[in-house]
Amino acid sequence: MARKRFIPEIKKNQTFGLNITSMTDMFTILLVFLLQSFASGEINLDPVQGVRLPSSSTEKNLVDGARISISPTELKFDQLKVADVKDNKIASSAIDPNDSNFIKPLFDELQKFNKDNEKLAKTGKVLFQADRDTPYATLRKVMYTASMAGFPNLKLVTTAGN
Amino acid sequence: MRKRFKPLLNHNSEFALDLAPLLAVMVKLVPVLLVSSAFVQMLIIETELPQVVQQAIEQQNKDPKATQVAVEVSRKFGVKFIITENGKQMVETVALTTEKELDLPRLHAKFQEIKKSHPEIFKIEMSPEEDVPYSDVVRVMDEARKSRSNDIKFPVKDMKTGQDTSTLYMFPEVVFGNTMDG
């Protein structure tokens, strides 16, 4: 005679209390950490892909202004690509033939920004994100063009470091 | 006289606190904060670029007796300090290390030395060479900005109160001098 298999009795309508204390503890710690790292500045700046910012000991928070970034592959005004970058040099097609430091497409975009955001443009502030390996010769071209377009207040964006 | 009713309090009793609403709030808050949090803290270094007209006006108003400090950065010789005082130029160089890197401790000491002898100056003119990487430019600016040692402070006069005070700041204002050069 075959032995009868044991089947435990299951109460279908049974309710049980879940202990969520430890989960609440975990969430509290997570919440404190996130509140601490919550962006406290008035400006949120998205890091540009491919740009490794240098670290600096500066303590100044971000301010608003025209946003220029230069990565190893492209020069951007805000989100718009204005010139190609190859071997850390701006493509010659973007450079004015009569002035080797003048980046024409960037100047045009800055002029457009001048018209569209008159109030912000009056401050003459440029938030400049550049890759740490970019040589000064390339940076200078951007600085020169920004200065010519009426943006002499250059704000070099860095990451917090020692 | 009727006896006053005293409720029976059991001080050793336990009760379960309902944490479910608290957890519900946290579950909603955490994703919001996760999305809006900046995990990479970005800061700025302020610098002013010389404008052609502005430069010309400044040149006219310039006091010829005011001391000027120019800093040239090169990957060949290191950092050269050109201090112009009363029309006389004094040149000093902080050479690169044996690994051909900027000698940052010596550079900082040199900035402190210059600041000690010219506490009234807060502005330097920086001229990096074309091949100097951006990270080196930022490093030099960092060394120039503020004294790392809290013991080394520099005298400064409060313009509002006229009282003498001290500051850790050395050369917080950096102007790129060769931006307009051809």
Side-chain angles (χ1 to χ4, degrees), chain A residues 62-83:
Chain A
L62 296 173
V63 290
D64 209 1
R67 294 168 186 200
I68 302 175
S69 65
I70 183 162
S71 74
T73 53
E74 56 194 10
L75 172 68
K76 278 183 173 178
F77 176 77
D78 213 353
Q79 300 294 318
L80 184 80
K81 179 181 165 183
V82 288

Side-chain angles (χ1 to χ4, degrees), chain A residues 5 13 39 49 67:
Chain A
R5 200 177 158 197
N13 297 324
Q49 199 178 11
R67 294 168 186 200

Side-chain angles (χ1 to χ4, degrees), chain A residues 28-41, chain B residues 33 36-39 41:
Chain A
T28 308
I29 294 165
L30 202 63
L31 196 70
V32 170
F33 167 74
L34 287 172
L35 278 171
Q36 200 185 11
S37 61
F38 188 70
S40 56
Chain B
L33 289 170
S36 57
S37 280
F39 293 100
Q41 195 188 1

Side-chain angles (χ1 to χ4, degrees), chain A residues 45 56 58 134 136 152 156 158, chain B residues 43-45 49 132 134 142 178:
Chain A
L45 190 66
S56 159
T58 182
T134 313
Y136 182 69
L156 305 175
T158 64
Chain B
L43 301 162
I44 52 162
I45 303 175
L49 301 174
V132 174
Y134 179 44
D142 271 359
N178 57 354

